[in-house]
């Protein structure tokens, strides 16, 4: 590996030393690279035949930033000396303070530490489309190689703050307007162009600011937030490594045309995501009215993307031209994949799968977007169960980044690989999961809503619960989320969960009472909150009548008096049952690895990324504490809180929940 990681230097007859960073694919700043840069710069300063230095990256990319693998080592060992001194020794002393001028020749990207190297140079020349940015905050750290000091001087304080706090990338073209880039030129003219601006030079930066930044950077590298964000960064990369699928020399097939059945909220969102990625889509509906509604929703989705600035008008028109509407299956004869996205009715889904098996080509993948129904049930009336797979998107499907890929015992590795490839193509993060009720995300989080209902039944205020959960870092609390998702979903899955999860369900009729009271959540503007057009949701005081009735039915308040709980109690009573279900999901090998569940919780449920994901967060608390709390509540409130055998065993042995299970342990444990 070290052989391909190197820094080269070539000195031309014109006295210019070209120093090149070589560490494919993005020339990350591995400690070997940093050492190499120090050596080459020291050599260039000493050589009489070198008048100026051009710093660049190999393979059409300048540098993607510091090598994050080093953070992982620091987190494992706590040894800060593994972090090389880049800011002061290399950037300030050798590059910026060197007696010979340096110019950065930027192509492709200069991100994080890569951009900070260029800012230590006396001038920057770039190709117009190169991406520049300081995304360190996404890893829980600050720019550590002089960026906090030099960027404000070059682009001004407001833009520097926006780029650092929002981890916002800019194109070099904008960089030129802002003063970050001195000149733009084509890739071919990059090195001649550098010589022209060598003379321009830039004033040397404030040394005191750089020294302060280096100290804070080292403190933050060891912070829990940095550990959590680095864990999430690597966890997200791991989700597409699937044993028996991605490591067996299979090649993904080209998916050129996809049929989507059902043009409702989910179907139109899935179609939008495919169209934006230049894939032809056939949208099938049962009648012209529904088809027209689906096409309008897709057009509205695309217009929304244009408004957000993530799609150009031309691309929107191209996307719409790839869409074809259909009222029968005649256009299915040459599709490579079908994604069924109709309502959660078992018989309807079974009849659709039986029909499409007859008309689709034999290589066609048959996918369902069901969020809860067992795939074996969906495909039980077909003869092609090796092609049946779950493609569970999260709403709105063209925006939410997670794609749960659900495999059965019979799904072929080829179908899984093809769907992973489609997921990447449409810019989703695919997580491959096993087949069970609710799969990974909805199953793990079914106690989330139920726990919040249990708390209301013992006298805790709805809006206080939402405040506590929002303060923890969730995008919104469980009651606002229920308003947003609509009560129909909750009522539809209630019986499915009861039959699958038995006594660990908490039975609540709160949603039924809300509906009986004329409330449908955000869809009719009236739920736990009041929704007025253009305004923020406001707590609805009149919902108290429904809650009082619910508490009378539930009979859970001791002596009719509300239970007194701290905010920490509320947080734990909602999240510890979720962790407990995550333990069962890991125990049953529904996920390949614990970090897959972390990524799914972050991307599917909005679990705070800076906490590293559900299981990572639970491990910062420890299995013994979680087990003791759940055991105590199980005695008072019943099986909803009963610790799983997996959690119990980890608690007894003080093992992390994320540590892999041995096969022997797995086989002796009881199954759901």
């Amino acid at each position: 590996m070290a052989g391909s990681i190197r820094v080269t230097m070539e000195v031309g007859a014109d006295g210019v030393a070209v120093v090149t960073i070589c560490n494919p694919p993005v020339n990350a700043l591995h400690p070997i690279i940093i050492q190499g840069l120090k050596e080459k710069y020291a050599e260039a300063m000493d050589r009489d035949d070198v008048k100026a230095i051009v710093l660049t990256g190999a393979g059409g990319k300048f540098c993607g930033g510091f090598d994050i693998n080093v953070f992982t080592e620091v987190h494992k060992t706590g040894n800060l000396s593994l972090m090389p001194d880049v800011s002061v020794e290399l950037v300030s002393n050798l590059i910026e303070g060197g007696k010979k001028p340096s110019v950065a020749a930027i192509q492709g990207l200069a991100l994080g530490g890569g951009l900070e190297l260029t800012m230590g140079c006396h001038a920057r020349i770039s190709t117009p489309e190169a991406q520049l940015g300081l995304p360190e905050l996404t890893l829980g750290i600050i720019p550590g190689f002089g960026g906090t000091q030099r960027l404000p001087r070059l682009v001004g304080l407001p833009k520097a703050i926006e780029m650092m706090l929002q981890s916002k990338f800019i194109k070099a073209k904008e960089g030129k307007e802002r003063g970050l880039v001195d000149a733009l030129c084509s890739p071919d003219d990059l090195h001649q162009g550098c010589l022209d601006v060598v003379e321009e030079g830039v004033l040397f930066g404030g040394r005191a600011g750089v020294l302060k930044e280096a100290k804070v950077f080292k403190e933050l590298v060891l912070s829990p937030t940095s550990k959590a964000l680095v864990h999430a960064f690597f966890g997200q990369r791991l989700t597409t490594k699937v044993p028996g699928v991605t490591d067996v020399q299979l090649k993904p097939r080209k998916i050129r045309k996809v049929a989507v059945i059902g043009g409702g909220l989910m179907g139109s969102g899935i179609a939008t995501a495919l169209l934006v990625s230049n894939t032809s889509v056939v949208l099938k509906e049962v009648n012209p009215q529904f088809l027209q509604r689906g096409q309008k929703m897709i057009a509205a989705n695309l217009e929304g993307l244009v408004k957000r600035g993530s799609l150009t008008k031309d691309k929107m028109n191209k996307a719409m031209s790839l869409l074809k509407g259909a009222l029968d299956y005649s256009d299915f004869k040459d599709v490579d994949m079908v994604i069924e996205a109709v309502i959660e009715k078992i018989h309807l889904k079974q009849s659709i799968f039986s029909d499409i098996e007859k008309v689709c080509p034999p290589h066609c993948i048959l996918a369902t977007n069901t969020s809860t129904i067992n795939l074996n049930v969906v495909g039980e009336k077909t003869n092609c169960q090796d092609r049946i797979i779950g493609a569970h998107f999260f709403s709105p499907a063209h925006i939410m980044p997670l794609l749960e890929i659900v495999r059965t015992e019979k799904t072929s590795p080829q179908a899984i690989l093809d769907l992973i490839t489609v997921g990447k193509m449409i810019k989703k993060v695919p997580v491959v999961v096993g087949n069970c009720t609710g799969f990974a995300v909805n199953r793990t989080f079914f106690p989330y809503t139920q726990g919040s209902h249990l708390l209301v039944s013992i006298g805790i205020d709805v809006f206080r619960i939402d405040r506590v959960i929002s303060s923890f870092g969730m995008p919104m609390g469980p009651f606002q989320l229920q308003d947003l998702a609509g009560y129909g979903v909750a009522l539809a899955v209630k019986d499915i969960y009861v039959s699958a999860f038995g006594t660990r369900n908490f039975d609540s009729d709160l949603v039924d009472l809300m509906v009986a009271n004329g409330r449908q959540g955000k869809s009719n503007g009236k739920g736990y909150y009041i929704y007025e057009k253009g305004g923020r949701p406001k707590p609805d005081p009149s919902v108290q009548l429904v809650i009082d009735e619910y508490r009378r039915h539930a009979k859970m308040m001791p002596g009719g008096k509300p239970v007194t709980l701290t905010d920490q109690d509320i947080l734990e009573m909602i999240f510890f049952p979720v962790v407990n279900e995550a333990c069962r999901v890991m125990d049953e090998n529904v996920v390949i690895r614990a970090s897959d569940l972390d990524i799914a919780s972050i991307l599917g449920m909005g679990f705070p990324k800076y906490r590293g994901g559900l299981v990572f967060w639970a491990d910062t608390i420890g299995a013994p504490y979680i087990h003791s709390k759940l055991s105590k509540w199980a005695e008072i409130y019943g099986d909803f809180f009963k610790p799983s055998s997996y959690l119990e065993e980890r608690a007894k042995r003080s093992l992390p929940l994320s540590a892999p299970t041995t096969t022997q342990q797995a086989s002796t444990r009881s199954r759901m």
Side-chain angles (χ1 to χ4, degrees), residues 432-470:
V432 176
V433 300
N435 178 33
C436 63
T437 300
F439 316 129
V441 177
N442 285 346
R443 170 165 171 198
T444 299
F445 278 83
F446 90 86
Y448 179 68
T449 310
Q450 292 191 3
S452 63
H453 285 207
L454 187 149
L455 286 173
V456 173
S457 74
I458 60 173
I460 309 300
D461 175 59
V462 161
F463 305 111
R464 182 184 172 203
I465 294 169
D466 272 5
R467 280 196 305 275
V468 168
I469 298 301
S470 299

Side-chain angles (χ1 to χ4, degrees), residues 500-557:
F501 305 134
T503 57
R504 67 175 187 273
N505 268 283
F506 174 71
D507 190 23
S508 158
D509 64 351
L510 179 53
V511 176
D512 307 75
L513 293 170
M514 292 289 281
V515 172
N517 194 256
R519 297 168 190 266
Q520 291 290 343
K522 194 178 179 188
S523 63
N524 76 342
K526 211 169 158 55
Y528 301 100
Y529 295 80
I530 298 167
Y531 298 85
E532 287 161 353
K533 209 165 184 173
R536 291 170 67 85
K538 291 199 292 267
D540 183 355
S542 71
V543 81
Q544 193 57 45
L545 295 169
V546 182
I547 287 162
D548 290 342
E549 189 183 350
Y550 166 62
R551 286 173 180 157
R552 281 196 297 277
H553 287 201
K555 298 187 178 67
M556 294 271 289
M557 292 198 294

Side-chain angles (χ1 to χ4, degrees), residues 34 38 66 70-71 74-75 78-90 116 136 139-146 148 209-227:
I34 287 157
K38 287 176 183 175
F66 188 65
V70 179
F71 291 156
V74 173
H75 291 162
N79 180 5
L80 268 173
S81 68
L82 294 171
M83 295 292 303
D85 184 344
V86 181
S87 182
V88 179
E89 203 180 313
L90 174 63
E116 291 177 287
E136 280 83 353
L139 295 174
I141 54 172
I142 60 169
F145 305 158
T148 61
V210 170
L211 291 169
K212 165 83 172 162
E213 177 200 77
K215 180 175 176 286
V216 175
F217 175 79
K218 286 192 169 173
E219 286 166 7
L220 287 175
V221 165
L222 283 176
S223 71
T225 301
S226 174
K227 288 177 183 175

